[in-house]
Amino acid sequence: MANELVAAAALGVTGAFGAYWYLKFKCVLPMETGQRASQKAFSDFTSFVRETLERAYAPEQVEHYGDLTNYYLIKLHRAFPDSSMLVFEKGRGEWRLINYLKNFKIEPKLLTSYKWSALDRSSLEGEMLRFDDVRAGDFHAMEELFTVFDIRSVLMCPFTPAGGAAERLIVFGAAKPAMFDAAQPYLRFVASQLSSISKVSDQVFALKKETDNLKNEVNAVVKELDVAGSRLIQRARERKALYEVVTRVTGPGVDAQNGCSAILNIVAKIVEADVAASLLFDEAKGELVVTPGSFGITDADRMLYSIPVSNQASSSVRTFLTRKPFITADAQNDPDVLTRYAKLWDIHSLMIVPICLGDRIIGVLRVGSKRTDFFTPDQLEFLTIIADELAIIIEMFTINENLSNKAQELAQLNKLKDEFLSTVSHELKTPLTTIKGFVSVILSGEVGPLNEQQLNFLAVVDQSVNRLTHLISNLLDLSRLNGKVEMEFQTADLTELVRSSVSGMQLKAREKKVSLANALEHDLPAVQADTRWIGQVIDNLLINAIKYAGSGAKVSISGTDKGEAVVICVEDNGPGIPTEEQKMVFDKFYRGRASVNQVPGTGLGLAISKSVVEKHGGKIWVESKPGHGAKFCFALPIAKDK
Ligand code: ADP
């Protein structure tokens, strides 16, 4: 019995043990495995959600909604690497493939619109649809796309907007539907995320775009300000350079060569050039020739550089002919440049601008640097301004040079003329004195009686001889004054000189029916003067007044002590002198228009008077109101006691 009990107990224990293990293996273990698997799936899903949410709103370099979709698809693809993800968007009754993910790129032709009723259905119902074998259904329209992606099973998940049919959906595809159950929560999550993001994304991205635009605008403005600032500095430097150009070239003792050289030096300094040369057009040779005074070019090298204007391969010639500025970053490797000159001076960067004077082009300004790609368009513009200055300065110097050459020529001619006059006058004076002497003897009747006609004729001869003698003595005076005749200065009594001149002229005045008065009220102070020449000045003024004032006129001479100088004036109430003639009456051989034919004269009296007065350190002038007489005055400095 006991044995039976033991056996029964053993059987019971064994059975319970067996049952336990049976239950353990058959039910508990699979349940535990299932539980662990679902725990892992759950924890995978939660970490997926956490991770995507954390970074969804801050993925790197998001430009638009598509980027965000991509971000989710990538995440999804990491979780389900064997599957493909296609995003469709609805438009005009068709579904356009807007995004896809698998580790390859598809042909662009597949990124197009598709018509598949399943897509419409899922969108309308807002529900996930599952096709374990798409070939079993109507998927003809998708065949090519699904083949490329190797999709046979599809899980379709619409994006669920607030109301109405879905506008976008994800097609989750795989060769087999094995992971569809696991993928469902992921898809739902991603779809709901993307659908809610899509609602705000447009505004967010528009804002982002606007911010970016604003940023760019601000950057552009800052950049512009920078450029404007450096331009201003550059302009200030250029202004200074121009100022320097003008002051340097207008200074004393500057000629064409050192004027140009000064400009070229300044230009070279401002644009940091190694060579600056002006090439002017030599019309006779038909060549552009480097002017002396170029910067960075020796005279020996300068001689090597002249280009015929027929040589259009030369950039200088082209600029000369077209008047268009030229700039190159590397002259030695530019087919548009004659490289031998660039090589001669080791030049790489080169600028050439025309030198124009109004409509006329006179040459070009060439500036080079040993550095490559060195000059800027701003510098080219500056060079153009300088070239205008250069043109004016070159022209100014050319005119000056021509003028001074002309002046030298004229001075030489004048000297020859004076020498000629002096010789001729001397040669004429001797025979005239002889003629005058014999005519006087004949007229006096010493050599026999004359009839009335003979007397008259001889009187005319005598008068003509007098006039000729007067002219010749004037010419001689003038040539003496032009030559270095020395004044014989002595203390002179002007009161006495005036008195004797007036009394010497009274006879002539009476002949002309002119009243001549000495209006000197006080004795005049003594002056240092050559009395012969000053006496002649007073005579000239009195004779002119008597000659030109005409019959019945009044002439008077006055003198004033002005402290520093004595002023003597001869005044008449004749016709006076037209305003435009007043400044010419002191010129040699000038005769007033009204006087030329009516009053005999040589046009030398006032020129001689001016020269004499000036040799005394004095001044002579005329005051006249036409129709109201003329007043000729001269001032002589008063001798100071030492
Ligand atoms: P000339 O008397 O021989 O012509 P001058 O040199 O003395 O030469 O004078 C130059 C010109 O000045 C005269 O031709 C005349 O036109 C003008 N002139 C000089 N004195 C007078 C004057 N008192 N009144 C008007 N014209 C005068």
Side-chain angles (χ1 to χ4, degrees):
M1 185 64 187
N3 278 347
E4 279 174 5
L5 274 171
V6 169
L11 201 66
V13 167
T14 313
F17 195 70
Y20 167 77
W21 283 111
Y22 175 79
L23 281 172
K24 177 91 177 171
F25 281 108
K26 190 78 179 173
C27 302
V28 177
L29 274 181
M31 264 172 65
E32 277 178 6
T33 314
Q35 194 183 356
R36 267 204 300 279
S38 52
Q39 261 173 1
K40 182 174 183 307
F42 182 69
S43 108
D44 283 353
F45 179 63
T46 43
S47 58
F48 173 84
V49 169
R50 196 175 336 105
E51 198 188 321
T52 40
L53 277 180
E54 262 170 20
R55 301 206 40 222
Y57 293 100
E60 281 149 25
Q61 294 185 332
V62 175
E63 291 295 333
H64 48 75
Y65 181 67
D67 286 349
L68 222 46
T69 314
N70 258 349
Y71 170 76
Y72 277 100
L73 293 190
I74 290 166
K75 288 277 164 199
L76 210 50
H77 193 257
R78 277 208 196 124
F80 302 96
D82 296 332
S83 54
S84 305
M85 264 78 58
L86 309 170
V87 178
F88 289 88
E89 187 179 70
K90 194 170 187 178
R92 288 197 229 119
E94 292 191 327
W95 290 90
R96 198 156 56 85
L97 177 61
I98 57 166
N99 238 317
Y100 68 91
L101 205 93
K102 185 145 189 177
N103 289 334
F104 59 79
K105 278 203 186 306
I106 59 167
E107 290 177 48
K109 69 168 185 170
L110 291 173
L111 280 167
T112 177
S113 298
Y114 295 88
K115 262 192 162 175
W116 186 27
S117 56
L119 295 168
D120 295 318
R121 200 145 43 87
S122 168
S123 140
L124 275 175
E125 291 167 8
E127 276 304 320
M128 278 193 160
L129 291 185
R130 178 177 170 147
F131 301 89
D132 284 354
D133 186 357
V134 279
R135 291 188 198 175
D138 167 26
F139 90 117
H140 186 68
M142 314 299 286
E143 190 175 352
E144 192 179 359
L145 188 64
F146 285 173
T147 311
V148 168
F149 279 88
D150 191 20
I151 294 174
R152 292 195 59 174
S153 307
V154 161
L155 184 62
M156 203 177 279
C157 178
F159 292 12
T160 44
E167 296 293 310
R168 292 197 185 106
L169 43 77
I170 299 182
V171 168
F172 185 85
K176 286 185 189 137
M179 79 291 279
F180 281 2
D181 287 338
Q184 274 197 27
Y186 285 84
L187 275 179
R188 273 195 204 289
F189 168 71
V190 167
S192 76
Q193 276 299 108
L194 285 175
S195 80
S196 55
I197 288 170
S198 79
K199 284 168 209 149
V200 288
S201 64
D202 287 349
Q203 281 108 317
V204 170
F205 291 119
L207 260 170
K208 186 174 182 304
K209 211 162 187 174
E210 210 165 288
T211 316
D212 285 352
N213 282 349
L214 273 172
K215 250 191 219 163
N216 288 342
E217 262 170 43
V218 169
N219 281 345
V221 168
V222 169
K223 214 167 174 179
E224 235 168 66
L225 276 176
D226 259 9
V227 173
S230 47
R231 276 231 172 110
L232 267 178
I233 294 169
Q234 179 68 13
R235 286 277 175 279
R237 288 178 67 202
E238 289 170 7
R239 284 275 135 79
K240 194 169 162 261
L242 271 177
Y243 173 75
E244 259 185 72
V245 164
V246 173
T247 45
R248 284 249 208 117
V249 298
T250 47
V254 178
D255 60 19
Q257 182 169 339
N258 57 32
C260 286
S261 155
I263 295 180
L264 294 172
N265 266 295
I266 294 165
V267 168
K269 200 174 80 186
I270 291 295
V271 299
E272 295 174 53
D274 297 301
V275 170
S278 55
L279 280 73
L280 296 188
F281 180 52
D282 183 329
E283 231 172 316
K285 292 186 192 157
E287 287 178 343
L288 289 175
V289 184
V290 180
T291 53
S294 297
F295 178 85
I297 299 179
T298 62
D299 267 358
D301 281 350
R302 183 167 67 79
M303 296 304 172
L304 295 175
Y305 194 40
S306 57
I307 320 167
V309 286
S310 53
N311 187 353
Q312 298 228 13
S314 150
S315 43
S316 298
V317 167
R318 284 198 313 279
T319 296
F320 177 75
L321 295 176
T322 62
R323 302 181 185 200
K324 284 194 184 126
F326 176 82
I327 183 165
T328 177
D330 188 0
Q332 293 198 20
N333 294 301
D334 189 334
D336 286 339
V337 179
L338 278 183
T339 47
R340 87 189 121 107
Y341 293 114
K343 282 180 181 150
L344 180 66
W345 291 302
D346 193 17
I347 287 308
H348 284 280
S349 296
L350 177 68
M351 298 191 278
I352 308 170
V353 295
I355 306 177
C356 292
L357 236 165
D359 291 343
R360 206 154 47 86
I361 175 134
I362 58 173
V364 296
L365 175 58
R366 229 179 120 99
V367 172
S369 163
K370 294 187 175 177
R371 285 169 276 189
T372 308
D373 198 9
F374 185 62
F375 297 129
T376 63
D378 275 354
Q379 286 174 319
L380 190 68
E381 202 182 304
F382 164 68
L383 214 60
T384 313
I385 299 169
I386 286 285
D388 288 346
E389 290 298 316
L390 199 61
I392 293 165
I393 284 153
I394 289 170
E395 184 72 352
M396 194 175 84
F397 285 130
T398 316
I399 291 171
N400 264 359
E401 231 162 73
N402 287 347
L403 275 179
S404 74
N405 288 347
K406 274 266 151 7
Q408 266 176 23
E409 253 172 55
L410 283 175
Q412 183 63 20
L413 280 176
N414 210 27
K415 201 172 155 223
L416 282 175
K417 184 203 73 192
D418 285 344
E419 282 167 10
F420 171 77
L421 276 180
S422 162
T423 321
V424 171
S425 310
H426 270 292
E427 293 307 314
L428 284 176
K429 206 171 175 186
T430 324
L432 264 183
T433 318
T434 317
I435 295 169
K436 171 96 185 153
F438 282 113
V439 168
S440 303
V441 172
I442 298 170
L443 273 175
S444 68
E446 280 176 38
V447 287
L450 297 170
N451 65 31
E452 202 175 333
Q453 196 177 26
Q454 286 170 330
L455 268 174
N456 285 341
F457 283 176
L458 274 178
V460 173
V461 172
D462 193 43
Q463 264 177 23
S464 299
V465 168
N466 280 345
R467 276 166 60 186
L468 213 52
T469 312
H470 181 63
L471 171 66
I472 286 168
S473 77
N474 269 350
L475 282 175
L476 274 173
D477 283 348
L478 203 64
S479 84
R480 269 190 227 122
L481 288 166
N482 278 349
K484 301 242 175 297
V485 68
E486 291 295 326
M487 297 281 120
E488 289 173 17
F489 290 113
Q490 51 184 292
T491 307
D493 181 354
L494 284 176
T495 318
E496 178 51 29
L497 267 181
V498 168
R499 197 198 51 74
S500 92
S501 256
V502 170
S503 71
M505 289 294 154
Q506 283 299 1
L507 186 65
K508 203 162 201 98
R510 270 199 294 278
E511 275 172 23
K512 296 274 178 188
K513 299 196 173 53
V514 169
S515 84
L516 173 60
N518 182 349
L520 270 186
E521 287 174 0
H522 307 285
D523 281 355
L524 295 169
V527 293
Q528 287 296 311
D530 184 321
T531 46
R532 189 184 83 78
W533 283 107
I534 291 296
Q536 193 177 328
V537 172
I538 299 171
D539 281 354
N540 278 345
L541 298 185
L542 287 175
I543 288 172
N544 276 354
I546 294 165
K547 268 199 311 189
Y548 295 108
S551 176
K554 285 183 180 159
V555 172
S556 69
I557 184 163
S558 59
T560 328
D561 176 0
K562 295 273 184 191
E564 291 290 306
V566 176
V567 178
I568 307 269
C569 292
V570 175
E571 194 169 0
D572 66 63
N573 61 351
I577 302 170
T579 316
E580 67 278 10
E581 289 188 8
Q582 287 177 19
K583 56 181 174 305
M584 295 186 284
V585 290
F586 296 100
D587 291 349
K588 275 182 245 174
F589 299 106
Y590 181 81
R591 304 218 59 219
R593 250 180 297 144
S595 348
V596 173
N597 298 318
Q598 290 168 18
V599 186
T602 59
L604 291 174
L606 288 177
I608 291 170
S609 303
K610 182 169 189 269
S611 179
V612 170
V613 170
E614 284 173 356
K615 277 184 189 293
H616 280 75
K619 274 201 174 112
I620 186 165
W621 68 94
V622 61
E623 295 162 18
S624 172
K625 260 195 188 166
H628 293 91
K631 186 177 179 185
F632 280 87
C633 301
F634 66 93
L636 293 180
I638 291 174
K640 294 271 177 231
D641 291 336
K642 298 210 175 125

